[in-house]
């Protein structure tokens, strides 16, 4: 069947080897369970630091009194909050429709990655959900 061969080829490109495919086929045939392909991920946002800096206005205010010239600028204090966002994701095959209920032993992770970035906001509210 061409459609099945295409699906298997896609799984191979994603990193699923022959042993994992045999294991997943066993779940479907022997255990009469659906096999699910899913992306599982966790995200954590943590506060790093608070920064404050003065920014001078681009406009000058010139005042002339009794032949004397006075120049002034307005400065504004800018406050920023720095956050670290950590992300972990996995591509998994597992038996059943849900990872709940002891499916951990019928689960194969075949691709995973961790990444992080820093985000700067102008409010003290987290840009992402905090760790639970």
């Amino acid at each position: 069947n061409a459609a099945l061969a295409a699906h298997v080829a896609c799984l191979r490109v994603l990193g699923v080897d022959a042993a994992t495919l045999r294991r997943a086929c066993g779940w479907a045939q022997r255990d009469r369970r659906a096999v699910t392909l899913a992306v599982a991920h966790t995200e954590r946002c943590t506060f790093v630091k608070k920064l404050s800096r003065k920014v001078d206005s681009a406009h000058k205010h010139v005042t002339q009194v009794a032949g004397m010239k006075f120049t002034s600028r307005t400065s504004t204090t800018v406050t920023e909050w720095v956050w670290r966002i950590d992300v972990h994701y996995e591509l998994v095959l597992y038996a059943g429709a849900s990872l709940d209920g002891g499916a951990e032993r019928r689960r194969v992770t075949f691709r995973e990655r961790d990444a992080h970035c820093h985000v700067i906001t102008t409010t003290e509210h987290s840009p992402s959900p905090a760790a639970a």
Side-chain angles (χ1 to χ4, degrees):
N1 186 330
L4 182 59
H7 282 92
V8 170
C10 288
L11 290 173
R12 296 296 296 256
V13 168
L14 289 173
V16 178
D17 59 13
T20 301
L21 284 175
R22 281 193 295 276
R23 187 173 173 192
C25 286
W27 295 335
Q29 294 172 346
R30 181 185 59 252
D31 300 342
R32 300 279 187 219
R33 304 286 309 257
V35 177
T36 304
L37 171 66
V39 177
H41 81 284
T42 56
E43 182 178 313
R44 186 178 70 212
C45 182
T46 52
F47 174 72
V48 176
K49 62 184 171 182
K50 179 180 174 181
L51 302 171
S52 291
R53 59 187 166 90
K54 291 211 182 278
V55 177
D56 289 332
S57 170
H59 303 287
K60 291 182 184 178
H61 302 283
V62 179
T63 306
Q64 192 166 1
V65 177
M68 297 181 67
K69 193 186 269 188
F70 297 96
T71 304
S72 64
R73 289 182 187 251
T74 303
S75 65
T76 305
T77 301
V78 175
T79 304
E80 298 172 323
W81 286 261
V82 180
W83 307 87
R84 177 182 167 118
I85 298 178
D86 294 284
V87 178
H88 174 79
Y89 80 83
E90 302 172 286
L91 291 174
V92 295
L93 281 174
Y94 58 89
S98 170
L99 278 173
D100 298 335
E104 284 298 321
R105 58 186 156 82
R106 291 190 180 124
R107 169 186 170 140
V108 176
T109 299
F110 57 91
R111 181 84 46 139
E112 64 183 313
R113 181 164 185 222
D114 292 302
H116 75 273
C117 68
H118 285 91
V119 174
I120 298 173
T121 64
T122 56
T123 68
E124 62 183 308
H125 302 290
S126 171
S128 179

